[in-house]
Amino acid sequence: MNGILSIQSHVVFGHAGNSSAVFPMQRMGLEVWPIHTVQFSNHTQYPQGFSGKSFDSEDIRTLVKGLDNIGKLKDCQAVISGYQGSADQCLAVAQAVEQIRAQNPNARYVCDPVMGDPQKGCIVSDGVAEHLVQTLMPMADVIVPNQFELTAFTGVEISNLEQAITACRKALDLGPKVVLVKHLHSLAQGVFSTILATEQGCYLIERPELEFAKAPVGVGDLISAIFTACLVKGMAPLEAFRHTNNAVYGVLETTAKHGSWELMTVFGQEEIVNPSHDFAPQPIG
């Protein structure tokens, strides 16, 4: 039985990290093997706080070793990494990817380099951002940064579309074959802008920005998960980019209609496989 290994955070209530990623990939017909880097009661944006803990990096290594013991690493089609709670967790992820590639050279590594955003700045523990930039992103087949994370990787400051394209091309030169910029906040107001970059070119999708009482959490994890699932199912990157944006918008629209700021992924699950909107990518370079 083939599967996708997803190494990221987990919340008991709501949808963030693996709690946002696992079900959508399963809904698309894929087996998912989650390993949690942290486990919290809820995501960190609640004013009441949260409870829980970060797991030790050795937990990742132990679980991957267990998968190896039962002969499953060769059946891993893709690895996704998201939020990492420590620098050594990043190294454990790198080791897992290397082990899997040794047994299945066709396995993809998708790195969602969770660091922060322009409003919050860097939100990860000491050493994590450095290992994301210097270790995990260069070895990834696909990276899914936001604008803040793309700048951290490339050193290119972004305030317009031309600079975003320059940053994407530089990112491709640094190792990844596919760059999906999950959010470009500094482009047009009132729309949600995202870019796909491959050696074939760069493409932009702009979709309406929906209104929420607070910004939903876990959207980036949802984007990475659906895009990965699309690739594993055989879609070309541009087709996967289009489907991902349409599906994520459908889930967000469902969420908004319910008056929620926690993603309504289960209620919106049909959008994951049969999106009701279609936002076409536009070539930009």
Side-chain angles (χ1 to χ4, degrees), residues 222-279:
L222 181 63
I223 290 170
S224 298
I226 294 177
F227 189 68
T228 300
C230 288
L231 295 177
V232 168
K233 288 171 70 69
M235 292 187 193
L238 188 57
E239 181 185 6
F241 180 55
R242 186 171 190 160
H243 180 93
T244 298
N245 273 277
N246 294 336
V248 170
Y249 182 81
V251 172
L252 286 169
E253 186 177 54
T254 300
T255 302
K257 286 178 178 177
H258 280 80
S260 174
W261 65 293
E262 281 281 7
L263 289 175
M264 304 291 288
T265 310
V266 175
F267 280 91
Q269 63 180 280
E270 186 62 24
E271 293 289 340
I272 295 168
V273 290
N274 294 305
S276 54
H277 298 274
D278 186 20
F279 301 102

Side-chain angles (χ1 to χ4, degrees), residues 2-285:
N2 295 331
I4 297 172
L5 182 64
S6 181
I7 309 175
Q8 49 187 315
S9 61
H10 172 77
V11 294
V12 176
F13 173 80
H15 298 281
N18 272 330
S19 305
S20 182
V22 172
F23 173 71
M25 291 189 284
Q26 292 172 329
R27 185 64 179 82
M28 292 179 73
L30 299 170
E31 290 289 338
V32 188
W33 310 331
I35 294 178
H36 305 327
T37 56
V38 303
Q39 179 161 277
F40 295 154
S41 56
N42 49 274
H43 66 64
T44 60
Q45 299 307 299
Y46 279 84
Q48 302 95 325
F50 61 94
S51 59
K53 68 175 185 177
S54 175
F55 293 110
D56 191 89
S57 56
E58 286 305 309
D59 293 326
I60 298 173
R61 295 183 177 95
T62 298
L63 293 170
V64 172
K65 182 179 179 181
L67 293 174
D68 194 18
N69 287 343
I70 61 172
K72 296 312 297 179
L73 295 190
K74 63 180 173 52
D75 298 327
C76 183
Q77 297 168 287
V79 180
I80 301 177
S81 67
Y83 178 85
Q84 302 300 308
S86 70
D88 197 51
Q89 283 187 343
C90 295
L91 296 179
V93 169
Q95 291 164 4
V97 171
E98 289 169 351
Q99 287 176 265
I100 289 164
R101 282 176 169 168
Q103 298 193 36
N104 179 11
N106 295 320
R108 291 182 176 89
Y109 171 36
V110 179
C111 177
D112 183 351
V114 179
M115 298 181 206
D117 60 38
Q119 286 73 41
K120 301 174 191 173
C122 189
I123 60 169
V124 291
S125 302
D126 290 346
V128 171
E130 290 79 4
H131 277 302
L132 288 171
V133 168
Q134 298 169 16
T135 305
L136 294 184
M137 294 174 80
M139 70 185 295
D141 299 291
V142 180
I143 60 171
V144 191
N146 61 23
Q147 180 176 316
F148 176 84
E149 294 151 356
L150 181 61
T151 293
F153 184 43
T154 63
V156 177
E157 294 293 337
I158 301 168
S159 59
N160 56 49
L161 187 58
E162 182 177 348
Q163 290 169 340
I165 294 170
T166 298
C168 286
R169 288 174 174 161
K170 184 170 182 180
L172 292 172
D173 290 339
L174 293 172
K177 302 176 185 68
V178 177
V179 177
L180 194 172
V181 187
K182 58 195 171 193
H183 185 203
L184 282 159
H185 71 273
S186 66
L187 299 188
Q189 295 295 314
V191 297
F192 190 95
S193 302
T194 179
I195 286 179
L196 175 76
T198 69
E199 62 179 10
Q200 283 74 41
C202 295
Y203 301 86
L204 172 71
I205 288 180
E206 292 184 321
R207 49 183 171 81
E209 201 159 48
L210 298 167
E211 292 292 328
F212 295 93
K214 298 180 181 179
V217 173
V219 179
D221 309 315
L222 181 63
I223 290 170
S224 298
I226 294 177
F227 189 68
T228 300
C230 288
L231 295 177
V232 168
K233 288 171 70 69
M235 292 187 193
L238 188 57
E239 181 185 6
F241 180 55
R242 186 171 190 160
H243 180 93
T244 298
N245 273 277
N246 294 336
V248 170
Y249 182 81
V251 172
L252 286 169
E253 186 177 54
T254 300
T255 302
K257 286 178 178 177
H258 280 80
S260 174
W261 65 293
E262 281 281 7
L263 289 175
M264 304 291 288
T265 310
V266 175
F267 280 91
Q269 63 180 280
E270 186 62 24
E271 293 289 340
I272 295 168
V273 290
N274 294 305
S276 54
H277 298 274
D278 186 20
F279 301 102
Q282 305 298 319
I284 54 174

